[in-house]
Amino acid sequence: MSPRFRKALPLTLAVGVVLLATIASHYRSPAAAPAALETVTIALPRQASTAPMFVAIEKGFFKDQGLDVVHQQHELGAQGLKSLLDHQADLTVVADTPFMFKAMAGEQIAIVCAISSGRRAAAIVVAPGKAINSLADLAGHSVGLPLGTNMQFFLSVMLLQDRVPEGSVKLVNLAPDQIATALRSGQVDAVTAWQSNLAQLQESAPSGTQFFFGERLFRHRFHLVARRDYLEHHADAVKRVVAALAMATKFMDQQPDVARAITARYMGIDLKALARIYDPADFDLKLDQAILLALDDQSRWAIRSDLVKRKTVPDYLEYIYFDALEAVDPTAVTMIR
């Protein structure tokens, strides 16, 4: 082999390697593009009971499940439920009373799972100087609250416990942002307060203000809810939403201080105020028998109070969507079927 050929050989081999690489790259299948995130719009009330949703958004758990969650913020779960029924949202978080009213009206909706259940998330707050020393003294006085919400049912349960006829109490319909002002100004003698309103009143109410909690009588439940048509066509997306919420509740248990800070920021309140209404034990994904019992009780109350046209209690098992939670955590489903 001539010296010239020996010198040319490395260059020839290098050119050949580059040429082969070029040909191979021309025929190689292009790299798979990252899968696009599926967009899900969720209507959320700005309340502590919504904390697992806030944490799942903030920590990227929805994105981990391949979802791009667009969240609408509302003051009340009932407002989010309206957005859902107007097809402005795919899912919502709402308490059981607004859900019950819509189910009694024939809306095709279903509970996917409960996300929280609090015992001290609501209270009847009585202004000082009103000669009201117990709930039995509420007869003949006015109570402000947002009608058609679980606060109306809460008030009814509390009055029943003290044998106060509902008709003896004047109900004044108030928006959430009117609660504290109405109590301080004397527009009403008492209010039903919950979540951020309750925290605000506990922080700033004048001396002599009384708070009546119903820990043994009432649980403030929040549920993930969907329309039936959405569930039929987006079952996998709903399952992934539940999986993200399961990740969030685990994170909340492991890092409670971070979860509190996230919740306070989304609610727009300080940590001291949040501490009054936030209990880590309140957050758990479940479908249990207590949900059905609560819906039955509220339906009978609505019928007895002539708040609905329907005069029979629905079979609420038909308003429960089991598939998503059963796929994520079957041990969390304990309803009798």
Side-chain angles (χ1 to χ4, degrees):
M1 183 180 294
S2 69
R4 175 184 291 179
F5 185 78
R6 283 197 302 269
K7 291 180 180 179
L9 185 59
L11 179 60
T12 302
L13 288 173
V15 171
V17 169
V18 171
L19 180 60
L20 288 173
T22 302
I23 294 170
S25 66
H26 178 75
Y27 287 101
R28 186 184 301 127
S29 300
L37 298 177
E38 182 173 354
T39 301
V40 179
T41 301
I42 308 179
L44 303 177
R46 194 179 290 108
Q47 299 186 33
S49 296
T50 317
M53 279 287 183
F54 300 148
V55 171
I57 293 168
E58 185 74 11
K59 301 307 295 184
F61 296 143
F62 287 122
K63 289 186 177 177
D64 291 343
Q65 293 293 325
L67 301 172
D68 176 22
V69 165
V70 177
H71 70 284
Q72 304 170 353
Q73 288 214 358
H74 301 273
E75 288 301 319
L76 294 173
Q79 296 166 341
L81 185 56
K82 182 180 185 303
S83 180
L84 179 88
L85 294 173
D86 289 343
H87 290 252
Q88 300 302 309
D90 303 315
L91 300 166
T92 192
V93 170
V94 64
D96 36 19
T97 308
F99 177 89
M100 176 275 298
F101 277 125
K102 294 302 181 183
M104 292 283 282
E107 295 288 356
Q108 295 300 301
I109 52 179
I111 291 173
V112 176
C113 63
I115 68 170
S116 61
S117 178
R119 289 191 179 274
R120 290 182 64 86
I124 296 174
V125 187
V126 177
K130 294 294 182 180
I132 301 173
N133 299 311
S134 69
L135 292 182
D137 297 327
L138 277 176
H141 291 84
S142 58
V143 180
L145 72 164
L147 295 177
T149 68
N150 58 339
M151 288 300 96
Q152 186 174 358
F153 178 70
F154 168 66
L155 175 63
S156 294
V157 170
M158 296 288 277
L159 293 177
L160 180 63
Q161 174 71 13
D162 280 64
R163 300 181 181 179
V164 180
E166 287 189 49
S168 68
V169 176
K170 179 184 178 182
L171 303 185
V172 180
N173 192 23
L174 296 175
D177 59 0
Q178 297 174 320
I179 295 289
T181 301
L183 187 70
R184 294 193 189 101
S185 67
Q187 179 186 347
V188 294
D189 302 316
V191 296
T192 58
W194 71 101
Q195 302 284 322
S196 55
N197 285 303
L198 179 57
Q200 179 186 2
L201 288 168
Q202 287 176 306
E203 287 284 302
S204 61
S207 176
T209 302
Q210 298 183 76
F211 295 82
F212 297 93
F213 294 89
E215 301 100 315
R216 292 174 297 176
L217 301 175
F218 178 82
R219 291 193 75 104
H220 190 269
R221 290 182 178 83
F222 264 35
H223 307 285
L224 179 65
V225 170
R227 296 185 314 275
R228 282 288 182 186
D229 64 325
Y230 186 80
L231 292 170
E232 290 172 5
H233 297 97
H234 299 86
D236 184 64
V238 175
K239 182 180 71 175
R240 285 183 280 146
V241 168
V242 173
L245 289 174
M247 296 167 69
T249 54
K250 182 177 180 180
F251 177 91
M252 293 167 72
D253 184 55
Q254 296 174 341
Q255 299 193 44
D257 291 341
V258 177
R260 284 190 187 92
I262 292 170
T263 304
R265 187 165 67 254
Y266 273 78
M267 290 181 66
I269 64 176
D270 61 41
L271 282 170
K272 183 180 177 182
L274 179 66
R276 295 180 177 274
I277 57 174
Y278 183 102
D279 184 345
D282 291 348
F283 304 103
D284 191 18
L285 305 188
K286 62 178 67 174
L287 284 172
D288 62 3
Q289 197 68 17
I291 295 171
L292 296 178
L293 295 175
L295 290 170
D296 283 351
D297 288 346
Q298 293 179 37
S299 296
R300 285 192 289 271
W301 160 76
I303 293 168
R304 175 178 55 81
S305 302
D306 203 25
L307 298 174
V308 292
K309 293 181 179 179
R310 179 170 177 160
K311 301 306 177 185
T312 58
V313 177
D315 178 0
Y316 278 108
L317 278 173
E318 297 179 0
Y319 288 83
I320 306 297
Y321 180 76
F322 292 95
D323 294 5
L325 188 57
E326 282 186 331
V328 173
D329 182 7
T331 65
V333 182
T334 57
M335 282 185 180
I336 299 171
R337 288 180 272 173

